[in-house]
Structures are given as C-alpha cells and as structure tokens.
Amino acid sequence: MHLENIIKQCNNGHISEENKKVLLGYIDTHESVLDESLFFIKRLTKAAAIILNEDAKCLEPYLEKIFVYHGEGVQKAEELGVKANSSSRIKTLKSHLLGHNNQFCMALYRQTDDVFWAKEACWQKEQAIKMIIEIADLSHLFFSWMELGASSLVVYDHTGDLNYAEKSYSAYQKSMKYVEKSSQKISSLRGLSGLVNLVLNDLDDDYHLLQQWGKRSFDIHLNLADISGMKYEKDNAFLDAIDNLNHQLKTISKNNLSSKKLYNLIDKLYLQGKEIIKFVDDGGSLFGDVQKFMGDALKLKGDVCETTGLHYLTAMNCYNDDDDLENAAECALLSTKIWQKLYFCERKKIFGEKWYEAQLVYTECEQKDSSRAVGM
C-alpha cells in the first residue's frame, strides 16, 4: 500500500506490521519533511505516535528525527496561517503537532535521561494548550493538562525545581475543570497525590512551604478518598495523608522554631488528623495510625494529658488487634509513661487502671516477640 494511503487509514489507532515497515522505511530515508504538505506531515506524525504507543522500541533510532518533523510541521502551519489569515483549521493542525510532540520529547527523555527533553515536552504542551484554548477545542483540554502535569512532575523529580512542581500542580488542578467522568477526576487526583508526596519528602527546612504543600496534600487525599469507590484506594489515600502529616511533624520538630510557631503548626496538623479520623473506620491499623499521629502531635507540644494517653491507648489496641506487635508495643510504652505520670500527679483510680492496661499489653507484646524469635 502507498504511504499516503497508509497514514490516511491509521485513524483506528492501529498500524499493521506490513504498513509499519513502509512507514519506518520513509522515516529512515527522509531527514526532512518540509517538501511535504502540512496535512501529510500531520498524518505522518500521528501514525508515528500510534507506533510509539504500540512498539516504542522500533522508533528509538528515529525519535529526534520525528521531533524535527513536528517542528517542521509547526513551521509550515505558521507560514500557511499567515497566508490564510490564521484559519481555525490551520491552528487546529498546529495544536495537534505541538501536542503530539510532547510524547516524543518524553520518549527522548526516557531514552537519554537528559532533562532538556522533559523541559521541551512541557514547552510543547504549553504551546499546544494555548492554541487549543484559542480555538476553543475544549474536548482535548483534559488530556492536555494531564500530560503537562506529568511532564512537569518529571522535570521537578529530576531537578528539584519547585517552579516545575507548581506548574505540575496547576496543570493537574486545571485538568479537573474538563473532566467528563469520575474516573478522569480520579486520574487527576492520583497525579496530584504523587506530586505532593514527592514534594513533601523533599522539603526539610522551609516550614512555610511545608505548610502550603501539607495543606494541599490533606485536601487532595481527602478528595481522592471521598471520590474513590474502591476501599483499598480510599485506605491508600488516607495512608498517604497520614504519612505526610507524620513527615511534617518530624520536619518541624527539627527546625529551630519559636514555641509559638511550633505550637501553631502542630495545632493545624492535629486538626487535620482529627478531620481524617471522621472518615476512617474504627479499629484496624489505619485507625491506629491516625490515633498514634495525634498522640505524637500532642506529645511534641509537651501535652502529657489524658487526651494524649487515650490516643496512644486506642492506637495500641488497634495495632494489637491487627497483631502488629511492634507498633502496639511502642504505643503501649508511650501510653504507660503518660498514665503513670498522671496517676502519680492526681492519684485517680482511672489513671491507674489505664496504666495497668497499657503495661499489660506492652508485656504481652514483648513476650510474643520473644517467643516468635525463639520459634524462628
């Protein structure tokens, strides 16, 4: 089959092996496509994108060449646009060429590990989005914003440049304005979840940024847990939220903050934990994780009080019921110390009973651990 017919018929998203050989043969022998029509270049690069998704390895020798093809197509579109007074059809073709080139830039990044290509992918997609908005082709905006979010996340991960983290955050947020079904919103939130988890793990000494990204993490993970219909994804969203709260708590404890600033931050984190616990089922290790975090937050403030002790005691029982002996023993020991101190200060019978309960669980956990070790 003639190449022109092949690329015209590839709109079904698949190219046969025989047709693929013809297409690759053309690419192998052509350094430039400037002599071709704009419509030919658009179809050719679209066919190449299909092959990239189906069999990326066979395109590895030609990735830079296809990147150039896209650029030449954009150049031709701009020249034609001037002559045609920037018709919407020409703008649409240009936006498609810019958008598809994002895929080839990312393929080049994966091939070379050169962050230049990931940055170029962001630039190409940003230009495509501008064109899409200009021609009001809104059906493509969800996926375009998602791709920009993913490309920007890669750049941030490679460089640590928070400007790209912000670019990624903004893109994923904007993608949610164009969702057509709940699964798309979940995809946006998953992208955001991966981003905030990464950023928070990198923040060590800037408590203002820690607050900002911590609040984003809290909102994103609660939103994700709320919209997901699958229990494991809800639980994972809550786990991510709690892990990030714990990371923030440990980070601010290492910074030389004034007591006022420290306590203010702890109070905000504690309230977020309090909000999470409304949505988590009683019992089980997840409920225990939230209770332990809340106990740790109050302990960091120096609050040796009944509330702190109850958080640790509840966490202890949750972990013990799940046979998580290590965490159960840790919470039992923390709880024991608190109830012991409260009992000696106030001599209330209830505090003595809590002390005994925590001490008993701690002893049992230690004995179980010892017997398991002997059994091994």
Side-chain angles (χ1 to χ4, degrees), residues 123-155:
W123 185 87
Q124 296 278 339
K125 188 55 72 173
E126 283 177 306
Q127 301 313 304
I129 288 171
K130 287 178 185 176
M131 297 297 300
I132 291 169
I133 291 172
E134 188 177 336
I135 59 180
D137 185 12
L138 303 185
S139 62
H140 289 89
L141 274 175
F142 170 76
F143 296 103
S144 293
W145 284 120
M146 285 291 290
E147 287 169 354
L148 178 57
S151 302
S152 302
L153 176 55
V154 167
V155 178

Side-chain angles (χ1 to χ4, degrees), residues 154-313:
V154 167
V155 178
Y156 169 72
D157 192 23
H158 194 108
T159 65
D161 185 343
L162 278 169
N163 290 318
Y164 278 93
E166 288 292 346
K167 193 190 293 284
S168 179
Y169 178 81
S170 175
Y172 281 131
Q173 286 284 359
K174 286 174 180 175
S175 72
M176 286 193 281
K177 295 178 182 177
Y178 302 97
V179 297
E180 295 178 352
K181 46 192 175 183
S182 61
S183 61
Q184 289 180 329
K185 186 173 182 181
I186 289 173
S187 295
S188 299
L189 289 168
R190 284 174 181 162
L192 284 164
S193 172
L195 171 67
V196 295
N197 291 346
L198 189 62
V199 172
L200 281 171
N201 281 328
D202 290 342
L203 294 176
D204 291 323
D205 54 3
D206 191 323
Y207 80 93
H208 290 295
L209 284 173
L210 199 68
Q211 274 187 286
Q212 179 189 27
W213 284 92
K215 182 63 169 65
R216 288 174 173 179
S217 166
F218 174 75
D219 292 339
I220 288 161
H221 289 116
L222 255 65
N223 201 347
L224 182 56
D226 180 57
I227 195 173
S228 175
M230 295 174 285
K231 186 178 185 306
Y232 83 91
E233 184 153 48
K234 286 180 184 288
D235 289 351
N236 284 340
F238 286 129
L239 280 171
D240 280 341
I242 297 159
D243 284 346
N244 288 337
L245 287 175
N246 277 313
H247 175 74
Q248 292 173 74
L249 197 64
K250 288 175 184 175
T251 302
I252 62 175
S253 69
K254 296 174 186 175
N255 283 269
N256 295 321
L257 301 174
S258 67
S259 296
K260 185 177 180 181
K261 282 183 178 177
L262 179 65
Y263 293 168
N264 181 49
L265 286 172
I266 292 172
D267 286 342
K268 287 180 180 177
L269 296 178
Y270 182 84
L271 287 174
Q272 288 178 16
K274 207 170 182 180
E275 189 67 23
I276 290 171
I277 215 161
K278 294 177 184 176
F279 304 100
V280 178
D281 294 336
D282 287 358
S285 59
L286 181 58
F287 193 77
D289 288 341
V290 189
Q291 291 286 355
K292 182 178 183 300
F293 161 75
M294 294 174 78
D296 288 344
L298 294 179
K299 180 171 172 283
L300 185 57
K301 282 182 68 176
D303 284 354
V304 181
C305 62
E306 188 174 353
T307 304
T308 312
L310 286 171
H311 282 312
Y312 283 132
L313 198 68

Side-chain angles (χ1 to χ4, degrees), residues 328-344:
E330 181 187 356
C331 290
L333 186 59
L334 289 164
S335 188
T336 296
K337 291 177 180 178
I338 290 169
W339 295 118
Q340 182 185 48
K341 189 168 185 176
L342 288 172
Y343 177 75
F344 283 135

